[in-house]
Amino acid sequence: MENSADKSKIENLRNALYSRKIKIKPNFVLDLNGHKSEVKDNWDEEKKELTKSVDYIPADQPPKSFSKKVLWLAVIFFIVSLCVAGYVYFNGSNIISANNIKIEVVGPTTVKAGEDTSLDVSITNNNDTTLEVADLILEYPQGTRSATDSVTPMTHDRVAFDDIAPHTTVRRTIKSVLYGEEGATAHIDMTLEYRIPTAMSVFTKDTSYEVMIGSAPLTLSVDGLKEVNANQDYTLTLNVVSNSDQVVKDVLLTASLPFGYEVASTTPLPIPKTTVWNLGDIEANGKRTIVIKGKMYGDHNDEDRYFKISVGTKDAKVPTQVSGVISAVTQQVTIKEPFIGVLLSYERNSPAGVDYIARSGTTLSSNINLTNNLDVPIYDVEVESKITGPIVVPNTFKPNGGFYDSNLGVIRWNKSYDKNLENILPNNNIDEPYTFSLFKSSVAQSLKITHPVFTTDITVKAKRRLESGVPENIVSTIHKDIKVETDARFSAQVTHNTGPIENEGDLPPKVGKQTQYTVTWAITNTFNELGEAKVSAILPDYITWNNIVVGPGEKVTYNPDSRQVDWDVGGMNAQSNGKVALRQVSFQIGFIPSQSQVQTSPILVGVANFTARDTFTNTSLSGTNEVLTTQLPTDPLYTYDDSQVQPQ
């Protein structure tokens, strides 16, 4: 509560403040030194109360300002920037940039393959620092050769530019021999490697250059029919001609032949086991010719096949591969349905067109099916079939409605023997059957035949009349190679008194006593090698496995859980020098008869199963042998009574 004296002073001051007549003379001086004036009045108690609730900051200790910190940081940054600018200004010659390095390549846009290509390369250093030990590395396309040695392949090159002083240009002329197909683009990658005086690292700058192959030093052409009838002869002539006034060295020609094309002969011969021809060095304006003869097989009309031929320089590491292709040609051939369709089949259950595997000692029933695939009739049809091979029994050919000429070894059909051959309407077909025989394996063995094959060549001739009325001769041919399966046989026998293993026990066997037997398995083989051969059989539960096996190198195992005996034969040779191949193994078993088996001949070994694969014909073989009992027909001391179990 304010007293009256203080109130009076305040009122007077207010009146003087707003009065225009009264002038106030200040009776105090502002203390600029920041000293605190002590005013003794009654407000002290209020001030104490106020400081209890509000933090009081003395005037002589102001808080730290954030703006001052920012100011100091700006000053420090300015000083550092000033130092860096000064260093760059006085020592900037040591700073280098790849952008200040210029690589220029001057050369032709089009070159002839196989001839020297010159590139003028200049490197300009616009930096203030020397480029030390500068090298230009060039990566060339495949097939590039050295200009100084056209035989040596050059996939890359390193050209020294040495030290390049600041603001100077160094030039080099770089030569190479490029190869490629006409119109192809050769891409050359370039990398500049250099160092700078103050660093140990290697720096790089990349560029590239492209040049088009304008003309090739060699021209490849392919002569051959664009269409061919299925199963007809087809000849391809390849010509390689030099367009260069220089020798083209180490030339190779490669041919990728289509599926179904069977080569009969080539002139000249290729590199063995390849379709690659080494043409050597081709002189200026020289020529090389390759002729490939064969037969185009196929079953589909309008099917396209492709011959891919390429010629180029020999690869230094792989002499049967082309390192740089100079010219390449793809020859498309369309297989047309033959004018006269000819299908040959064997046996009634053998479908035409499917590879047939014959067996020795059999008489084959063959059939030739003829179809007119033209839209006009064909007439005066003649058919000839010739079968050859050492496995074929001569003079056993019996044509139905035809004639076998033993002098020529040919079966012949024409309209004299079969009236149906006078005229065959469009899409009509006729059959001409015949039979012949193959030697038995015993005879073939004496003839020392291995890998037997017989061939059948059929030629069909006919005439058709053109729209002009002029007759035209048409011909269709087919060739078949028929393989003969090997005659592999499995046999099994059981003995007691003879064999490679000595046996004990009574014969005939008696109840409660063990009698031992020797089981012998044998395989004989004739024409072809065997693979994956195996024999297995099950032992009855009253038979014991005595774990005695005789057979050098033979692998026989017994599984007590399944009671199965396995003989893993594996591979087996074919007959040699007229003698059949033989593999044999023997093992011992024991038999303790039971009272219930008295006066019987119990089973000793179950049915034996033989399996193998003919590696020549790639066919599966199999055979079985009946169960073996206590009857021992192959034991010379055996009598019938020895097989019956006797009581104890």
Side-chain angles (χ1 to χ4, degrees):
M1 190 79 178
E2 297 181 352
N3 55 35
S4 58
D6 293 336
K7 184 176 181 182
S8 176
K9 293 179 180 181
I10 293 173
E11 291 292 335
N12 293 333
L13 180 61
R14 180 183 295 113
N15 294 331
L17 180 64
Y18 293 100
S19 174
R20 298 180 177 178
K21 298 179 179 182
I22 300 176
K23 295 183 179 180
I24 300 176
K25 182 180 181 180
N27 57 0
F28 63 92
V29 178
L30 179 63
D31 187 359
L32 297 177
N33 293 326
H35 296 292
K36 181 181 178 182
S37 298
E38 294 183 357
V39 179
K40 294 181 180 181
D41 50 27
N42 293 331
W43 288 359
D44 289 342
E45 293 181 359
E46 278 189 76
K47 178 181 177 181
K48 292 179 181 180
E49 294 295 330
L50 181 63
T51 57
K52 290 180 181 180
S53 58
V54 180
D55 291 337
Y56 177 70
I57 302 176
D60 57 350
Q61 297 181 5
K64 295 181 180 180
S65 173
F66 174 74
S67 61
K68 288 183 179 181
K69 294 180 181 179
V70 174
L71 179 62
W72 280 110
L73 289 175
V75 171
I76 294 172
F77 178 77
F78 175 76
I79 295 172
V80 171
S81 300
L82 189 63
C83 294
V84 172
Y87 177 79
V88 172
Y89 179 80
F90 292 104
N91 300 283
S93 59
N94 292 328
I95 304 301
I96 190 169
S97 172
N99 295 327
N100 295 329
I101 301 173
K102 186 177 181 181
I103 303 176
E104 291 183 325
V105 182
V106 178
T109 57
T110 303
V111 298
K112 285 186 176 182
E115 297 186 1
D116 289 357
T117 300
S118 295
L119 300 179
D120 293 326
V121 181
S122 61
I123 300 178
T124 302
N125 178 17
N126 291 322
N127 293 286
D128 295 326
T129 300
T130 299
L131 305 182
E132 296 182 343
V133 196
D135 286 344
L136 185 66
I137 301 172
L138 298 95
E139 297 290 338
Y140 290 102
Q142 187 179 17
T144 303
R145 300 297 178 98
S146 171
T148 57
D149 181 7
S150 60
V151 178
T152 304
M154 187 170 66
T155 57
H156 62 275
D157 191 16
R158 179 183 287 267
V159 180
F161 278 71
D162 303 323
D163 295 347
I164 305 177
H167 304 286
T168 60
T169 299
V170 178
R171 293 179 174 84
R172 296 285 189 272
T173 298
I174 303 173
K175 294 184 177 182
S176 62
V177 179
L178 301 175
Y179 285 95
E181 297 183 56
E182 185 173 343
T185 299
H187 187 86
I188 304 173
D189 291 321
M190 302 180 184
T191 300
L192 176 66
E193 291 185 353
Y194 60 91
R195 300 175 186 269
I196 59 176
T198 59
M200 297 297 295
S201 302
V202 176
F203 300 89
T204 62
K205 182 179 178 65
D206 297 326
T207 188
S208 63
Y209 185 78
E210 290 185 348
V211 59
M212 179 179 290
I213 306 298
S215 63
L218 298 175
T219 299
L220 172 64
S221 62
V222 179
D223 293 332
L225 297 175
K226 299 300 176 95
E227 294 183 355
V228 62
N229 291 332
N231 308 321
Q232 299 297 303
D233 293 336
Y234 186 78
T235 300
L236 210 61
T237 302
L238 314 176
N239 295 303
V240 180
V241 179
S242 172
N243 301 321
S244 176
D245 55 2
Q246 301 177 2
V247 176
V248 183
K249 296 184 176 181
D250 289 339
V251 179
L252 285 185
L253 183 143
T254 64
S256 176
L257 306 180
F259 170 78
Y261 183 71
E262 185 176 292
V263 177
S265 65
T266 63
T267 305
L269 295 175
I271 297 174
K273 299 181 180 180
T274 69
T275 52
V276 179
W277 284 261
N278 187 355
L279 304 183
D281 300 340
I282 300 181
E283 65 279 4
N285 302 317
K287 181 180 179 180
R288 299 289 187 273
T289 299
I290 298 173
V291 179
I292 305 175
K293 294 183 178 180
K295 182 167 288 189
M296 185 70 75
Y297 292 99
D299 298 323
H300 303 287
N301 189 27
D302 292 332
E303 180 182 0
D304 292 331
R305 304 281 177 87
Y306 298 91
F307 293 83
K308 297 181 180 180
I309 316 296
S310 61
V311 64
T313 53
K314 183 193 301 183
D315 189 282
K317 296 182 179 179
V318 185
T320 58
Q321 290 184 3
V322 172
S323 63
V325 176
I326 297 176
S327 183
V329 175
T330 298
Q331 174 83 352
Q332 177 179 327
V333 180
T334 302
I335 298 179
K336 292 293 186 179
E337 192 174 38
F339 297 147
I340 305 174
V342 183
L343 292 177
L344 174 64
S345 60
Y346 295 93
E347 304 300 332
R348 183 173 300 176
N349 296 326
S350 173
V354 177
D355 290 341
Y356 175 74
I357 304 300
R359 293 184 178 181
S360 61
T362 59
T363 297
L364 298 181
S365 297
S366 307
N367 184 70
I368 300 174
N369 178 268
L370 306 177
T371 302
N372 180 7
N373 294 321
L374 298 173
D375 54 3
V376 295
I378 59 176
Y379 59 95
D380 291 345
V381 181
E382 296 181 359
V383 183
E384 287 188 354
S385 177
K386 186 171 185 177
I387 299 95
T388 58
I391 195 71
V392 178
V393 181
N395 302 320
T396 58
F397 301 100
K398 296 179 180 180
N400 185 3
F403 171 73
Y404 173 63
D405 188 342
S406 60
N407 298 312
L408 300 177
V410 172
I411 306 174
R412 187 180 301 115
W413 293 267
N414 55 41
K415 61 183 179 181
S416 300
Y417 305 105
D418 186 355
K419 298 297 183 181
N420 293 321
L421 297 178
E422 288 184 359
N423 185 61
I424 303 178
L425 297 176
N427 300 319
N428 281 14
N429 59 79
I430 63 172
D431 293 318
E432 300 294 354
Y434 63 97
T435 63
F436 63 97
S437 301
L438 303 180
F439 282 121
K440 295 182 179 179
S441 60
S442 58
V443 178
Q445 175 187 337
S446 64
L447 297 175
K448 301 180 181 180
I449 297 175
T450 57
H451 299 162
V453 176
F454 67 89
T455 62
T456 301
D457 289 287
I458 300 174
T459 301
V460 181
K461 299 178 181 180
K463 295 179 181 179
R464 69 168 176 173
R465 197 171 298 280
L466 301 177
E467 294 181 358
S468 61
V470 178
E472 180 189 30
N473 295 325
I474 55 177
V475 178
S476 288
T477 62
I478 66 168
H479 171 88
K480 286 286 186 179
D481 292 323
I482 307 300
K483 296 180 179 180
V484 180
E485 192 174 73
T486 190
D487 186 9
R489 300 186 181 186
F490 167 71
S491 62
Q493 64 180 21
V494 59
T495 59
H496 175 78
N497 300 297
T498 60
I501 302 175
E502 185 176 349
N503 300 306
E504 297 180 351
D506 297 327
L507 201 65
K510 294 183 179 180
V511 174
K513 294 182 179 181
Q514 186 183 81
T515 298
Q516 297 172 343
Y517 295 89
T518 297
V519 178
T520 300
W521 287 345
I523 301 173
T524 58
N525 186 35
T526 55
F527 311 125
N528 311 322
E529 292 79 6
L530 296 181
E532 305 167 15
K534 184 179 180 180
V535 179
S536 61
I538 302 294
L539 300 182
D541 57 2
Y542 48 82
I543 299 297
T544 60
W545 170 258
N546 290 350
N547 200 27
I548 298 176
V549 178
V550 174
E554 301 298 345
K555 184 179 178 182
V556 178
T557 57
Y558 172 70
N559 187 331
D561 295 328
S562 62
R563 304 189 61 79
Q564 180 167 304
V565 182
D566 291 311
W567 179 22
D568 187 4
V569 182
M572 186 172 178
N573 294 330
Q575 64 186 19
S576 176
N577 296 322
K579 296 181 179 180
V580 296
L582 173 65
R583 293 278 291 275
Q584 183 173 292
V585 70
S586 299
F587 55 89
Q588 187 185 76
I589 59 174
F591 172 44
I592 302 177
S594 177
Q595 185 65 36
S596 61
Q597 295 173 317
V598 173
Q599 299 302 320
T600 64
S601 300
I603 295 174
L604 299 178
V605 181
V607 174
N609 295 292
F610 161 68
T611 58
R613 181 175 59 87
D614 187 326
T615 60
F616 178 63
T617 61
N618 197 30
T619 53
S620 297
L621 308 176
S622 62
T624 59
N625 194 88
E626 297 298 327
V627 297
L628 299 177
T629 68
T630 54
Q631 297 180 7
L632 315 177
T634 58
D635 192 324
L637 302 180
Y638 163 79
T639 63
Y640 177 77
D641 293 336
D642 291 339
S643 66
Q644 302 289 318
V645 174
Q646 301 298 315
Q648 188 173 3

